[in-house]
C-alpha cells in the first residue's frame, strides 16, 4: 500500500453543496476501491491524503489531477505504508472555514488559520501534521 498526500488549488470557491456532492461521490467510489483518507478545504486550497493499493491511489490521483474543479497539484509525500492512518474513513472531510480550527496544532501559528498552498509547500511537515491530527493514530 501507499500513502499519497497532495495540495491543490480549487478552480472556484466551492459552495457547501458542491463540497457535499464531491464527498458523497468520493466516498462511494473509494469504498469500492478500498481507498481511505482525509480531505481538508480552506481558502481555495485542498489538502488530501489518499491511502490504498498503489495502482488504485495513482489511478485516483490521475483522475483528481484531471478534474477541472482543481488545479496546480503538488505531491507533498508519497510513501509505502504497512498500515493505514485513516483505516475507518472512506474519505474524512473538514471544511476548515466552517469548523473551529483553533484546536488544531499549529494551524493558527503556521497557516494563519487558513490553508495556504505556498505555506504548505514551504512547511511540508506542518501541512502533513495538520492532516494527521485528524487520524486516530496521531494520538
Ligand atoms: C479536491 C478533490 C478531491 C477528490 N477526491 C476524490 C476521492 O477521494 N475519491 C474519488 O473517487 N473522487 C475524488 N474526486 C473526484 C475525482 O476527481 C473524479 O471526479 C472522480 O474520481 C470520478 O472520476 P471518473 O468520472 O473518471 O470516474 C476529488 C475531486 C477533487 C476536486
Amino acid at each position: 500500500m501507499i500513502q499519497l498526500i497532495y495540495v491543490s488549488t480549487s478552480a472556484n470557491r466551492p459552495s457547501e453543496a458542491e463540497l457535499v456532492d464531491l464527498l458523497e461521490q468520493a466516498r462511494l467510489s473509494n469504498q469500492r476501491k478500498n481507498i481511505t483518507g482525509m480531505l481538508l478545504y480552506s481558502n481555495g486550497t485542498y489538502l488530501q491524503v489518499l491511502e490504498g493499493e498503489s495502482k488504485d491511489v495513482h489511478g485516483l490521483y490521475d483522475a483528481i489531477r484531471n478534474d477541472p474543479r482543481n488545479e496546480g497539484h503538488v505531491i507533498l509525500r508519497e510513501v509505502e505504508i504497512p498500515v493505514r492512518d485513516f483505516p475507518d474513513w472512506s474519505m474524512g472531510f473538514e471544511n476548515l472555514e466552517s469548523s473551529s480550527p483553533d484546536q488544531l496544532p499549529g494551524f493558527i501559528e503556521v497557516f494563519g488559520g487558513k490553508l495556504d498552498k505556498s505555506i504548505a509547500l514551504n512547511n511540508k511537515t506542518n501541512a502533513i501534521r495538520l492532516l494527521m491530527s485528524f487520524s486516530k493514530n496521531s494520538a
Side-chain angles (χ1 to χ4, degrees):
M1 279 191 303
I2 64 160
Q3 181 181 70
L4 187 154
I5 298 176
Y6 74 86
V7 62
S8 73
T9 304
S10 68
N12 359 57
R13 206 150 267 276
S15 65
E16 281 289 332
E18 284 168 334
L19 288 170
V20 168
D21 268 7
L22 191 160
L23 255 290
E24 278 177 357
Q25 268 195 356
R27 284 177 178 150
L28 278 175
S29 169
N30 291 354
Q31 268 165 26
R32 284 197 294 268
K33 293 183 199 145
N34 214 0
I35 286 179
T36 53
M38 176 82 202
L39 175 66
L40 298 184
Y41 172 80
S42 171
N43 193 33
T45 306
Y46 291 109
L47 182 61
Q48 188 174 32
V49 52
L50 304 170
E51 304 173 330
E53 293 300 325
S54 173
K55 67 169 178 12
D56 295 328
V57 170
H58 284 131
L60 174 57
Y61 182 60
D62 279 347
I64 295 172
R65 271 196 318 170
N66 288 321
D67 190 319
R69 289 172 288 188
N70 70 160
E71 59 200 19
H73 298 73
V74 182
I75 292 178
L76 297 184
R77 175 201 253 179
E78 184 176 347
V79 287
E80 284 193 23
I81 47 164
V83 290
R84 296 168 190 258
D85 283 312
F86 298 90
D88 302 330
W89 292 0
S90 58
M91 190 46 63
F93 177 71
E94 196 75 24
N95 184 343
L96 294 170
E97 292 186 350
S98 52
S99 60
S100 53
D102 42 307
Q103 301 301 323
L104 300 169
F107 190 51
I108 301 292
E109 296 81 347
V110 179
F111 290 96
K114 283 182 173 234
L115 264 190
D116 179 287
K117 190 169 149 189
S118 58
I119 297 178
L121 291 175
N122 288 326
N123 294 272
K124 285 187 195 179
T125 309
N126 285 311
I128 292 169
R129 191 174 291 152
L130 174 64
L131 261 178
M132 291 307 158
S133 66
F134 292 91
S135 157
K136 283 191 215 154
N137 298 350
S138 75

